[in-house]
């Protein structure tokens, strides 16, 4: 799923980093289509609270998922405009609403660990492992798990 590069040390995955509620997350770069600032978001009546709305992005209709709501975090009230990471699932475009975008990190696959037992359960169900970085933990978001929850909730 991640963009792999072979080096003398082994396979390396590339991740786009994002901050949501003060926690660092990594999205496999192969899944990221674009990064944008959502404008003119249209609310969708009767949609789950995790769906922030839809917008038109360069001629495509994009469903915007509020990652704070998905993770059970309170709304962001720091006054900064949110960012969105564009991803794709089975031909449908989605935007994951985040607090702030970071950099692209190349991390060795053998440095990736299973979810720790003490990881918040709301994060654990969306995570595909973690990387321990200098002084912080980067939770690797499993984009399929993040987006697969939406149809289940709509069917309920």
């Amino acid at each position: 799923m991640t963009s792999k590069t072979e080096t003398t040390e082994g396979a390396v995955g590339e991740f786009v980093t994002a901050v949501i509620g003060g926690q660092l997350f990594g999205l496999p770069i192969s899944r990221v289509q674009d990064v944008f600032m959502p404008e003119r978001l249209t609310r969708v009546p009767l949609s789950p609270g995790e769906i922030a709305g839809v917008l038109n992005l360069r001629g495509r209709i994009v469903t915007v998922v509020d990652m704070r709501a998905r993770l059970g975090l309170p709304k962001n009230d720091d006054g900064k405009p949110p960012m969105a990471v564009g991803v794709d699932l089975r031909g449908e475009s989605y935007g994951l609403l985040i607090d702030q975008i970071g950099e692209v990190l190349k991390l060795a696959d053998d440095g990736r660990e299973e979810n720790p037992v003490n990881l918040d359960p709301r994060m654990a169900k969306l995570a595909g492992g973690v990387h321990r970085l200098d002084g912080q933990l980067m939770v690797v978001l499993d984009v399929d798990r993040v987006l697969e929850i939406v149809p289940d909730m709509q069917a309920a």
Side-chain angles (χ1 to χ4, degrees), residues 129-145:
V130 298
H131 278 279
R132 296 181 193 277
L133 306 177
D134 294 332
Q136 70 185 139
L137 191 69
M138 182 186 84
V139 177
V140 178
L141 275 180
D142 183 325
V143 176
D144 291 335
R145 286 189 208 162

Side-chain angles (χ1 to χ4, degrees), residues 120-131:
D120 184 311
R122 296 168 299 191
M123 280 187 206
K125 71 179 182 182
L126 303 179
V130 298
H131 278 279

Side-chain angles (χ1 to χ4, degrees), residues 18-25 68 71 73-74 76 78 98-100 123 135-139:
V19 177
I20 307 166
Q23 173 62 51
L24 182 68
F25 290 91
R68 279 180 163 267
L71 292 165
L73 300 172
N76 192 1
D78 66 4
I98 60 170
D99 296 341
Q100 148 187 2
M123 280 187 206
Q136 70 185 139
L137 191 69
M138 182 186 84
V139 177

Side-chain angles (χ1 to χ4, degrees), residues 44-67:
V44 179
L46 304 177
S47 67
E50 295 168 339
I51 304 299
V54 295
L55 56 82
N56 185 330
L57 183 66
R58 294 186 289 280
R60 293 183 323 216
I61 299 300
V62 177
T63 302
V64 179
V65 178
D66 184 343
M67 288 304 296

Side-chain angles (χ1 to χ4, degrees), residues 7 114 124 142:
T7 65
E114 292 295 317
D142 183 325

Side-chain angles (χ1 to χ4, degrees), residues 88-99:
D88 197 70
L89 180 66
R90 292 190 294 273
E92 294 293 322
S93 297
Y94 295 88
L96 305 180
L97 216 53
I98 60 170
D99 296 341

